[in-house]
Structure formats: C-alpha cells, structure tokens
Amino acid sequence: MDLETGVYQNRAKVDSWKTVLTLAYQSLGVVYGDLSTSPLYVYQSTFAGEDIQHSETNEEIYGVLSFVFWTLTLVPLFKYVFIVLKADDNGEGGTFALYSLLCRHARVSSLPNFQLADEELSQYKKDNKKLCNTGLGSRLKSMLERHRVLQRSLLVLALVGTCMVIGDGVLTPAISVFSAISGLEFSMSKEQHKYVEVPVACVILIGLFALQHYGTHRVGFLFAPVVLTWLFCISGIGIYNIFQWNPHVYKALSPYYMYQFLRKTQKGGWMSLGGILLCITGSEAMFADLGHFSQLSIQIAFTSVVYPALILAYMGQAAYLSMHHSAEIQMHRVGFYVSVPEKFRWPVLVIAILAAVVGSQAIITGTFSIIKQCSAMGCFPKVKLVHTSSKIHGQIYIPEINWILMLLCLAVTIGFRDTKRMGNASGLAVITVMLVTTCLMSLVIVLCWHQSVFLAFCFVVFFGTIEALYFSASLIKFREGAWVPIALAFVFLIVMHVWHYGTLKRYEFDVQNKVSINWLLNLGPSLGIVRVNGIGVIHTELVSGIPAIFSHFVTNLPAFHQVLVFVCIKSVPIPHVRPEERFLVGRIGPKEYRIYRCIVRYGYRDVHKDDMEFEKDLVCSIAEFIRSGSIGTNGTIEELEKDEDKMTVVGTCSTHEDGIQISEHDINNTETVGTSEVREIRSPPVMQRRKKVRFIVPESPNIDTSVREELQELMEAREAGIAYILGQSYMKAKQGSSMIKKLVINYGYEFLRRNSRVASYAFSLPHASTLEVGMVYNV
C-alpha cells in the first residue's frame, strides 16, 4: 500500500479557482460538520439552567445573540481564519503542528533519537532570519533550550490540548446526536419522549461507531451535500423567522446588548456563557484538518457559506423567541425545533440527524488521526492502524480506540440524558483546546514568525482574555457535567506521560549500555558463530552504536545471518518525509562483516508501508548505498568501519530511477533480458526457491569487483529470505528507586507495554519470519 506518491501530489495544490472552489466545497463535509450543527443546542444549553430566564423584556435573548455574534466573529473568523491558519507546518495544522514547529525552531523536541541529519530534510524549514527582537526573543529561545522543565511544560501543554481533543471525540457525537433527535418531542407526549430519546440516540451512536472500520471514502462524497443542505436549511429558516417575527432583531448584534445582558443578569449571565461558547465548537477543526485542504479553500468556505448561515440561523431563532414567551416555549425549553415551522419539522429532523452524524464522523476521524500523531511522537502506546483507503491519505481506523470512544460516548449519553450537562462538558473541552492553541501560537509568533514579543503579548491578552472568560464560566459547572472532560483528560494524560517517560528511560538504558565497536571487531567477520544465508533485520531504537541486546543475540543464538541490518524506525517533528529522503544508510564495521545500519524516517502524519514494500525498499536502499560508495556519488564515503555515524541519504526504489532497481519474480517465470543501458547482476540458479532476485545496475565503468561481490552476496541473502529479530524488553526500576518510579515503570509502563501492539506491527510483519528475544532492563 504505497501512498507516498499520492501524498506529495496532493500537497502540490494548484491555486486555480476551480481547484480552490472544489476544495472549499469538500471542506464543508469534513471541517464544518460539528460547527454547523451547533445551533441545535446553543440556546437550549444557555437557557437550560436557572442562571437566566427568557423574559418579556427580551434583554436575555438579545444579549445571548450579541454574545454569539461577536464570539463567532472574533474566535473562528479573526483568530482561526485570519491568523492561526497561517501557522501551518508544511501544510498541516493542529496542536501537534504548532508543537513540531516550536521543536524545530527552538530545539525543544521530546524525541530522544534526534540527529543533525534530520535538519537537512527538505520539509524541515527553518528561517535563518534573526529574531526581530534580539533581546527578549532570543532570550526566550535560549531559555526554552536550556531548561528541561520548560521543555516538559511545553510538552504537557500540547498533550493537555490533545487529551481535550480526545475528550471532545467522546462528547461531540453524544451532544450532536442527542440534540438532533430532540425534535421527536413535538410528535409524542413528554412521557413517551422520555423513554424514546435515549434508546434512539444510543442506536444511532452504536451504528456510527460500528461502521468506522469501513472508512469514510465510500460515503464521503455525501458529507459535503449533507452539510451544505443543512446550512441552507437553517439559514432559510432563519431568514423566514426574521421577516416573519422580528425584522429589527439585527439591532441585537450591537455590543451594547452584551453590556445590558451582563448588567441585568450579573452572576447568572456569566455562568450562562458556558452554553454560549458552544457556538464555536468545531472551530479547531478548521486548523486541525488543514492538511486535507488548502488555507484559501477553508477561508472561502467559512467566510462565504458557514459564517453567514450560522449568523442567520441564530438571528432567526432569536427573532422567533423574542415574540414567543408562551408556556409551550417553556415546556419544550428554548430549543432549536421550536422555531422551525411545523410543516418543516420532520424534514429538518432528518437532515439534522444526518448532519449530526457527519459532524460526529469528522471528530471521530480527527481523534484517530491525533492519536496516531501522539504514537509517532512517542507519547502514546503503539496501536493497530488500519488504513481504510488505499487512495486517500489520512483515512485511518484504530479498533481499540474506536470501541473505547463508543463505550464512553454511550456512558455519557445514558448518564446525562440532557443537553445541559453534555453542553457543560463539551464546552470545557472545546475552550481548553482553544486556550492551548492561543498559548502555543504566542510562541510561534515570536520563535517561528520572528515577530516582536509585544505582538505575541497582545495576541495572548486579546484572545486569551475572551477564552479565559468562557473557560471560567465552564469550569464553574464542574459538578454539572464539566468534570467529564477533566476526568478523561486526566486519565489520557497519565497514560501519555507514563508511556513517554518509560520510552525515554528505555532509550537512555540503550544508549548507556550499547556495545562498543571494538567488541564487534574482536569477534571477527564470523562474529564467533556460524553465518548462514539470509538477511537478519534487527530492530533497535538507537541511531548510532550497537544495542546491548545484540550481544544477547550472539550469546544465545547458534547461528546468524549472512547479512545483518540494524533498522531504526524513527519519527521526526515534521508532517511528512519525502520518499527520496526516507532512508539513512551506513555501515557498521569493515566491509567483510556485511553489517549495515538503516534509519527509516517518518513524519508524524506519514503512512507506514506494508511488509513487502518495506522489504523491497530496505534491500534496494542498501544496494544503492553499496553502489554509490564505490563511485563516489554525493561525495566519497570515508572509512565507514572507523566512523559508523556517517550515513548516506538514500530514497525508496521509486525515487532513484537512475540508480539500482530490484526485480523479484517466481523462478518458473521467463527471465527478461537487460537493455544496453544497464547491467544485470543475477543470482545463480538455486533449486526450491520461491523467488528470484535481480539487481539492475546503471552502466558505470567505476563499479569494481568488490562492489559487485557485495551486491551479489546481498542478492543471494535476499533470495534466502529475511528474518526479523526483535528485542522484547521487560523494564524494572532499579533497587533504591523511589516508590513513584517503581509504580510508573514496574506497573504503569509494563501494563501499557503488555497491552499495546508489539514492535512487529511497526513493520506489519508476518509472524512466521519474526524472532523475539527477551531481555530485562533495569532503569
């Protein structure tokens, strides 16, 4: 499943109007599903409690409308559309995009196996401009780079935002679906509705999560029409209500009504802000889903379609409610469906349920994506990733996370049974993510955009004050539902921190206990054991040196393979690594040892290849390394046996058409004849082999005999097969360690390690060719 070519073709977005408008249309279904369904529950959540009441003076409804208008204008429109979207990481957005930008510009990365060669990646863009504010800006950068406490705090801040996004993945489907089906209350008695609402919501949610493993590519084309229909529907109803009931409702857009609202309601009005902030749920998706679209397309979709439709919808509801203060309104609460004309309620109900499902689907897929990013950055246990589409990049499914989200979502729906407490919970999760984005953006403004500290301070003060006001109003509802996202974030934060801490300790143990090159040289080319045909791939986290577990292999195994490759699969703080920069290949020891090191670099949004493509690219990259070393491509490779840290950048097979190509076919197939432009190195006929391997080498007079022999040996080893040797390490805290460390390492990390996917899933390896050797790490 090679998605790399498609990934980079998708990145080359042509800024033609046709392309931009097409992307803007598609973004409606993916980005704005959650935001567009917020009118279902904003007024209902705001007036649900005893904080404020809908009175005859209409000061409350006008004040809420004014708050909604200015919140939508300042946060999604000004902050996200015009500022935050510009802070993309090579076209990618989200919390981890901001964190990775800071990691590259200030060297605060939490990844332990960082190399200077990573900075030479083409997407590792880093301006060489000096900071405009050479005083405060440079001091801020050096302070971040010097103090580990600040680096850990920055990581924790990013993880808090990530955990709240995961919490939103639990709460958004619950409140969206529950609010959408609340329209059933108009077609049945209150007693009947009480017993129907929750079961129907649970059935829809179970169906939604049960269909996740099919992916969205089969029905994704329906998402944009559904959301677009919904937006036209609510804006049309809004226009009807404005002209039918109160054409002068536009006056309530004045900020004066916010002042009047707070002056009259005082503490109750402040507490009701927790319901008002739900009007911006889903705004973060504009930034998080930036990688699938272009900045301009998201801006056009929001400013020309979504923003006007939402404003009209809220104005229409306010216009209707301003003229209705009857007992019916109070009985059904100040909800969305009460303002829908009676003859349109059933069609609107159907469209609302579909729009809620689309919005929920987007946040669920986003949750899968951000957990994948966390796992790639070493902050979440290894999970099984299922790519649901071979053509569309980024569509993944994580079975374990899917069922956990479903159970939590059902628990919230059954436990709360009303939009008030669901809204309190969802609001706190949403506003926390926005606060995290504001804090990270202030650092990006100084360290990445090289703007003044004063500008960053103004950004934090302006938007941070607005968000802090909403945050305080949400936090005060802790006992009325807001505890849910805090509890979920706390659990996920502990899991992430324990896994990250254990991963760092394991890497530190590997570095401190790696085997010296002298030990290898003393063994001789045979390593003191029998060398048999085949390639042995040894997985390690080290980017230099020989892991301690290798000496364990040599001591306990009677034979080893003819060719040994130490493979390190590492993540770098960029979204994508180009295929031509995928591999770093080097040699360990003298040539006759036939021991190589291969570092495979992936970005945090890259798709890992399956086993067959990975094996082919791995062998091909080593073959190209051997050939390039003989003809001096990109500079002479100097004495690799003395300096094992010297590595050569080698791309995948598809990227070096003028280099070595590998051909594999069944032994019974007729062999193709090479052209005059290439030389063929064929393996001798061997009986009972499933595949015949052939290297196609470009014509060159400089390929000497030793290189041809090395390539021949590599080819024969490939024909004999590849075996993967994995070290299964068991970590224990050292004697004398603190009680907290023992709990974290001996119980927390080990529990997560035993219940997470093993290292073989990083390769997608067949179990028949995998050998695991256990070893205890005392850290």
Side-chain angles (χ1 to χ4, degrees):
M1 182 170 52
D2 189 1
L3 303 185
E4 289 179 339
T5 304
V7 169
Y8 292 103
Q9 287 175 350
N10 289 339
R11 293 298 169 274
K13 302 179 179 98
V14 182
D15 287 332
S16 65
W17 279 111
K18 182 179 178 181
T19 304
V20 171
L21 292 177
T22 301
L23 289 173
Y25 169 73
Q26 293 172 346
S27 70
L28 292 173
V30 177
V31 177
Y32 298 109
D34 185 14
L35 184 61
S36 64
T37 55
S38 57
L40 287 169
Y41 44 79
V42 168
Y43 284 121
Q44 187 170 347
S45 299
T46 304
F47 289 94
E50 299 178 356
D51 302 326
I52 57 174
Q53 299 294 328
H54 178 38
S55 65
E56 296 283 346
T57 62
N58 288 326
E59 288 181 327
E60 293 84 2
I61 197 67
Y62 288 161
V64 170
L65 174 60
S66 186
F67 264 104
V68 167
F69 172 76
W70 286 105
T71 304
L72 276 171
T73 302
L74 294 176
V75 178
L77 186 61
F78 286 172
K79 177 187 172 183
Y80 281 94
V81 171
F82 294 129
I83 301 176
V84 176
L85 284 182
K86 298 181 185 299
D88 65 294
D89 182 14
N90 292 289
E92 298 291 339
T95 304
F96 264 93
L98 295 176
Y99 180 69
S100 69
L101 275 176
L102 295 171
C103 286
R104 300 206 301 274
H105 285 79
R107 295 182 184 271
V108 293
S109 175
S110 62
L111 296 172
N113 50 8
F114 177 77
Q115 296 172 284
L116 289 176
D118 296 338
E119 293 189 0
E120 299 174 4
L121 291 166
S122 57
Q123 289 204 4
Y124 205 104
K125 291 190 298 186
K126 207 163 85 168
D127 293 332
N128 294 321
K129 296 186 301 181
K130 293 183 179 179
L131 296 180
C132 295
N133 50 319
T134 53
L136 290 174
S138 58
R139 274 184 288 183
L140 176 63
K141 179 181 177 181
S142 61
M143 187 169 59
L144 280 172
E145 293 176 342
R146 281 199 320 267
H147 295 89
R148 296 287 297 173
V149 174
L150 295 178
Q151 295 176 19
R152 293 193 189 100
S153 301
L154 190 63
L155 176 63
V156 169
L157 183 65
L159 292 181
V160 167
T162 301
C163 292
M164 284 297 182
V165 171
I166 298 173
D168 199 26
V170 172
L171 298 165
T172 293
I175 190 172
S176 297
V177 172
F178 196 85
S179 300
I181 65 171
S182 63
L184 293 173
E185 63 184 336
F186 291 96
S187 60
M188 59 185 68
S189 66
K190 188 175 181 180
E191 288 298 319
Q192 290 176 319
H193 180 257
K194 184 171 63 175
Y195 294 105
V196 170
E197 191 174 30
V198 173
V200 171
C202 290
V203 169
I204 294 174
L205 290 171
I206 291 172
L208 175 64
F209 284 99
L211 294 175
Q212 288 299 311
H213 71 281
Y214 291 108
T216 60
H217 61 285
R218 292 183 177 88
V219 294
F221 67 94
L222 292 175
F223 286 0
V226 167
V227 175
L228 188 61
T229 303
W230 168 250
L231 289 171
F232 283 149
C233 178
I234 60 175
S235 59
I237 294 172
I239 293 172
Y240 169 80
N241 284 330
I242 291 171
F243 285 99
Q244 178 70 19
W245 301 108
N246 189 353
H248 301 289
V249 73
Y250 68 89
K251 294 180 179 179
L253 303 182
S254 169
Y256 171 76
Y257 285 89
M258 290 193 291
Y259 167 73
Q260 285 285 87
F261 171 77
L262 291 176
R263 191 181 69 170
K264 179 180 179 181
T265 57
Q266 297 183 353
K267 183 181 177 181
W270 166 65
M271 295 180 68
S272 70
L273 295 179
I276 296 173
L277 79 86
L278 295 177
C279 69
I280 53 176
T281 57
S283 299
E284 188 74 22
M286 285 191 286
F287 185 45
D289 292 328
L290 181 59
H292 296 104
F293 305 97
S294 66
Q295 184 185 130
L296 183 58
S297 64
I298 291 179
Q299 291 172 333
I300 289 175
F302 183 79
T303 55
S304 63
V305 179
V306 179
Y307 178 74
L310 290 176
I311 297 301
L312 289 173
Y314 288 117
M315 288 177 65
Q317 288 188 62
Y320 179 89
L321 294 171
S322 66
M323 295 298 172
H324 293 80
H325 308 86
S326 61
E328 182 187 1
I329 299 295
Q330 303 300 329
M331 181 182 71
H332 294 295
R333 295 174 293 184
V334 186
F336 168 77
Y337 289 101
V338 73
S339 64
V340 178
E342 188 173 352
K343 59 182 177 182
F344 293 119
R345 277 177 185 163
W346 276 105
V348 170
L349 174 65
V350 173
I351 298 172
I353 292 174
L354 292 176
V357 169
V358 170
S360 302
Q361 174 64 50
I363 191 66
I364 293 169
T365 304
T367 304
F368 293 156
S369 178
I370 202 165
I371 287 177
K372 174 184 178 293
Q373 294 175 27
C374 288
S375 182
M377 299 289 277
C379 297
F380 200 85
K382 300 297 181 184
V383 290
K384 182 179 180 180
L385 298 175
V386 178
H387 298 279
T388 58
S389 173
S390 59
K391 297 180 181 179
I392 303 175
H393 173 71
Q395 291 196 358
I396 59 174
Y397 166 69
I398 305 176
E400 300 95 329
I401 301 300
N402 182 66
W403 301 124
I404 291 173
L405 288 179
M406 187 190 77
L407 292 176
L408 292 173
C409 193
L410 291 175
V412 168
T413 305
I414 297 171
F416 284 165
R417 300 184 178 217
D418 65 72
T419 55
K420 175 189 172 183
R421 288 181 291 178
M422 289 184 193
N424 293 337
S426 180
L428 183 62
V430 168
I431 202 63
T432 304
V433 176
M434 291 183 176
L435 272 171
V436 170
T437 299
T438 299
C439 295
L440 294 178
M441 268 300 301
S442 64
L443 294 175
V444 168
I445 289 171
V446 176
L447 302 178
C448 305
W449 291 357
H450 310 295
Q451 301 298 319
S452 66
V453 174
F454 177 74
L455 187 62
F457 178 76
C458 292
F459 178 86
V460 170
V461 169
F462 183 74
F463 292 107
T465 301
I466 296 171
E467 291 160 0
L469 180 65
Y470 282 117
F471 179 80
S472 62
S474 297
L475 195 61
I476 202 71
K477 302 290 183 68
F478 180 84
R479 298 177 63 182
E480 299 174 45
W483 61 270
V484 171
I486 296 177
L488 291 174
F490 181 73
V491 172
F492 279 106
L493 192 61
I494 287 178
V495 169
M496 290 178 178
H497 184 72
V498 167
W499 183 261
H500 183 66
Y501 177 77
T503 302
L504 288 179
K505 288 299 177 184
R506 177 179 172 177
Y507 185 79
E508 289 173 4
F509 180 90
D510 283 336
V511 171
Q512 294 168 3
N513 294 275
K514 61 184 180 182
V515 179
S516 67
I517 192 69
N518 291 329
W519 173 84
L520 183 68
L521 295 174
N522 291 334
L523 292 177
S526 67
L527 303 181
I529 53 178
V530 179
R531 302 289 292 269
V532 297
N533 285 341
I535 299 176
V537 176
I538 303 172
H539 180 256
T540 177
E541 299 294 333
L542 293 177
V543 294
S544 64
I546 302 170
I549 204 163
F550 179 66
S551 62
H552 193 60
F553 292 155
V554 173
T555 305
N556 291 277
L557 296 177
F560 233 89
H561 297 86
Q562 173 187 0
V563 175
L564 290 179
V565 184
F566 288 90
V567 173
C568 171
I569 296 183
K570 60 176 286 187
S571 294
V572 289
I574 59 175
H576 301 286
V577 175
R578 294 185 178 277
E580 56 267 26
E581 300 171 324
R582 175 76 67 211
F583 293 95
L584 281 174
V585 184
R587 196 187 299 275
I588 299 178
K591 282 188 178 182
E592 59 267 21
Y593 280 56
R594 302 296 191 254
I595 302 179
Y596 308 93
R597 180 185 309 284
C598 187
I599 299 173
V600 191
R601 301 180 291 185
Y602 287 99
Y604 56 81
R605 289 186 69 92
D606 270 332
V607 177
H608 290 216
K609 289 190 170 186
D610 59 26
D611 57 318
M612 298 305 295
E613 286 293 324
F614 178 82
E615 289 178 2
K616 184 178 178 180
D617 283 340
L618 179 65
V619 175
C620 198
S621 65
I622 296 172
E624 180 63 19
F625 164 75
I626 295 170
R627 183 191 73 90
S628 64
S630 69
I631 62 177
T633 304
N634 299 323
T636 305
I637 303 175
E638 301 175 352
E639 301 181 6
L640 285 170
E641 65 273 12
K642 293 182 180 179
D643 189 359
E644 59 170 321
D645 291 332
K646 287 191 175 180
M647 311 288 287
T648 301
V649 178
V650 183
T652 59
C653 287
S654 60
T655 60
H656 47 77
E657 296 179 357
D658 57 341
I660 287 184
Q661 298 294 315
I662 186 172
S663 174
E664 299 179 352
H665 53 84
D666 294 336
I667 195 162
N668 295 326
N669 290 351
T670 304
E671 294 184 359
T672 58
V673 180
T675 64
S676 60
E677 286 84 11
V678 297
R679 294 179 180 179
E680 297 178 2
I681 299 180
R682 289 193 178 93
S683 60
V686 179
M687 300 301 294
Q688 297 180 342
R689 284 183 179 168
R690 296 177 59 190
K691 285 189 176 181
K692 182 171 287 294
V693 179
R694 182 184 60 162
F695 288 144
I696 304 175
V697 184
E699 186 72 24
S700 174
N702 297 327
I703 296 182
D704 57 30
T705 305
S706 64
V707 171
R708 294 181 65 84
E709 288 177 355
E710 193 172 0
L711 288 172
Q712 182 77 37
E713 195 170 341
L714 177 64
M715 184 172 52
E716 292 175 5
R718 173 67 185 99
E719 282 193 342
I722 295 181
Y724 295 86
I725 300 101
L726 307 174
Q728 192 66 277
S729 58
Y730 301 88
M731 290 179 57
K732 289 182 64 177
K734 292 179 182 177
Q735 288 187 352
S737 299
S738 64
M739 182 62 66
I740 294 178
K741 184 176 181 180
K742 288 180 180 180
L743 288 173
V744 170
I745 296 295
N746 297 353
Y747 298 99
Y749 181 79
E750 278 301 300
F751 173 80
L752 293 175
R753 186 193 60 79
R754 286 194 302 268
N755 290 278
S756 65
R757 298 288 176 170
V758 295
S760 60
Y761 281 91
F763 297 101
S764 300
L765 303 181
H767 293 287
S769 62
T770 304
L771 173 65
E772 294 187 13
V773 179
M775 186 175 179
V776 177
Y777 284 15
N778 291 307
V779 297

